[in-house]
Amino acid sequence: MSEVRSGQIAIVGRPNVGKSTLLNALIGEKISIVSRRAQTTRHRIMGILTRPDAQYVFVDTPGFQTRYGNALNRVMNRGVRQALAEVDVVLFVVEAGRFDERDRAVRKLVPVECPLIIVANKIDQLPDKAQLLPYLARLAAEGEFAAIVPVSAMRGAQLEALLTETRKYLPNSELLFPEDDITDRSERFLAAEFIREKLFRLIGDELPYTAAVEIEKFVVDGALRRISAAILVDREGHKSIIIGRGGEIIKRIASEARQDMERLFDGRVFLEVFVKVKSGWADDERMLKTLGYE
């Protein structure tokens, strides 16, 4: 019988390469929010997969931001660096067919002593499958890597191969978390994240990046959860965008977020969502701490 291995694995990459989709696919549950909009993930989120021979503690990180320098992005970049300093192996996610200076900037953040596995994601989206092998050869020429694994997180392709490669670099260890845990985050945190995901998905580019969700009430009443949440925006004009004509958009945000919560929490949810204007919150270090940014 093989020894049990347990360790932390950082999932890093530039924005919009599919890090959160990969985490959810590996865990088999939706714990990290996903949208087509870059920089959807703002917090470090642990996803835990326990197998008989290993416990994989994946750390999903925000996409490393090189373009904007407000306090929110500085805090998120700091979270990426901290995650890299604490893990046993790094999954460096890139988009199949692409590798440029943005990817190389992320590569430079990884400590040289840390095993680095390149995950070439979105192989299903390559217009010509014959491009894959030459592309993987180009990746191999970029440096020394523990492994290069092509995957499709969306379709679940090659994920077992990725786990097999990752396990090789985990230390022999007792489980780091109880075997039934799937994340280190609270239901309160996940509720806010589900609302924020629907916000970005339903409104898209009309909504400025500086929007957040604050849970004002989270009460567990038997199998029922009563949740009150405020969507924070920077300007008064953003409020009407989120509410929509006749309240149509905010009703959809609440309805779709509630359905996700009920699936994950395995119980009924009564959800109230409203909008607040708090100018400058994304550049206010104290406000960021209040909202849970590390």
Side-chain angles (χ1 to χ4, degrees):
M1 181 176 175
S2 60
E3 293 187 48
V4 174
R5 295 172 179 254
S6 299
Q8 294 192 36
I9 306 112
I11 302 176
V12 303
R14 60 177 172 81
N16 227 20
V17 292
K19 298 181 295 297
S20 297
T21 302
L22 177 64
L23 174 66
N24 292 338
L26 289 166
I27 300 305
E29 292 281 358
K30 181 177 178 178
I31 59 171
S32 189
I33 66 173
V34 178
S35 82
R36 293 182 179 179
R37 190 167 184 173
Q39 290 291 91
T40 301
T41 300
R42 291 180 180 169
H43 301 267
R44 283 189 293 167
I45 300 171
M46 285 186 179
I48 304 158
L49 173 65
T50 303
R51 295 277 183 87
D53 64 346
Q55 185 176 75
Y56 304 83
V57 181
F58 297 101
V59 185
D60 189 19
T61 62
F64 193 79
Q65 179 59 258
T66 58
R67 294 177 59 194
Y68 306 110
N70 67 9
L72 175 59
N73 281 309
R74 289 195 300 272
V75 168
M76 290 193 298
N77 283 352
R78 187 163 65 235
V80 176
R81 292 190 179 97
Q82 287 172 348
L84 290 170
E86 298 166 358
V87 299
D88 301 293
V89 58
V90 173
L91 302 185
F92 176 25
V93 185
V94 300
E95 188 173 337
R98 298 183 181 182
F99 194 91
D100 58 28
E101 292 307 316
R102 293 171 298 171
D103 300 294
R104 293 185 182 97
V106 177
R107 168 71 181 88
K108 291 176 182 176
L109 298 173
V110 180
V112 293
E113 67 275 9
C114 190
L116 178 64
I117 297 173
I118 290 192
V119 183
N121 191 25
K122 306 184 185 181
I123 57 173
D124 56 306
Q125 296 180 24
L126 283 173
D128 180 1
K129 304 309 178 192
Q131 297 174 348
L132 182 58
L133 287 179
Y135 170 71
L136 296 178
R138 291 198 300 274
L139 282 183
E142 289 285 337
E144 292 292 326
F145 304 112
I148 300 175
V149 184
V151 307
S152 169
M154 185 68 71
R155 296 184 181 275
Q158 286 281 96
L159 298 187
E160 284 299 325
L162 178 59
L163 289 171
T164 297
E165 289 297 330
T166 302
R167 185 184 181 279
K168 295 176 184 178
Y169 300 97
L170 300 182
N172 293 328
S173 169
E174 298 294 323
L175 300 186
L176 302 177
F177 290 89
E179 60 182 277
D180 292 335
D181 284 6
I182 60 169
T183 183
D184 65 324
R185 290 294 190 168
S186 67
E187 289 186 353
R188 187 185 187 101
F189 170 87
L190 293 169
E193 288 289 275
F194 286 147
I195 295 167
R196 195 163 61 82
E197 177 190 61
K198 305 312 174 189
L199 190 62
F200 287 144
R201 283 194 167 192
L202 293 174
I203 298 177
D205 292 336
E206 287 186 73
L207 181 70
Y209 180 56
T210 48
V213 176
E214 182 177 24
I215 301 297
E216 297 201 340
K217 182 178 77 173
F218 193 109
V219 177
V220 179
D221 183 6
L224 173 67
R225 290 158 179 81
R226 300 181 185 275
I227 303 170
S228 180
I231 296 172
L232 307 182
V233 293
D234 204 46
R235 298 177 186 174
E236 190 68 38
H238 302 157
K239 193 172 180 178
S240 59
I241 296 174
I242 295 171
I243 294 172
R245 182 178 297 178
E248 178 185 0
I249 295 177
I250 199 166
K251 286 176 186 174
R252 277 194 66 191
I253 290 170
S255 175
E256 294 186 17
R258 177 184 55 77
Q259 291 173 44
D260 278 353
M261 293 176 203
E262 289 183 337
R263 276 192 290 269
L264 188 63
F265 302 161
D266 194 24
R268 289 178 55 229
V269 172
F270 176 80
L271 176 63
E272 177 190 24
V273 180
F274 53 94
V275 186
K276 277 185 178 181
V277 177
K278 284 203 174 184
S279 299
W281 73 266
D283 219 8
D284 183 337
E285 295 269 2
R286 285 180 296 181
M287 186 65 195
L288 291 172
K289 287 181 180 179
T290 300
L291 291 171
Y293 293 94
E294 300 170 357

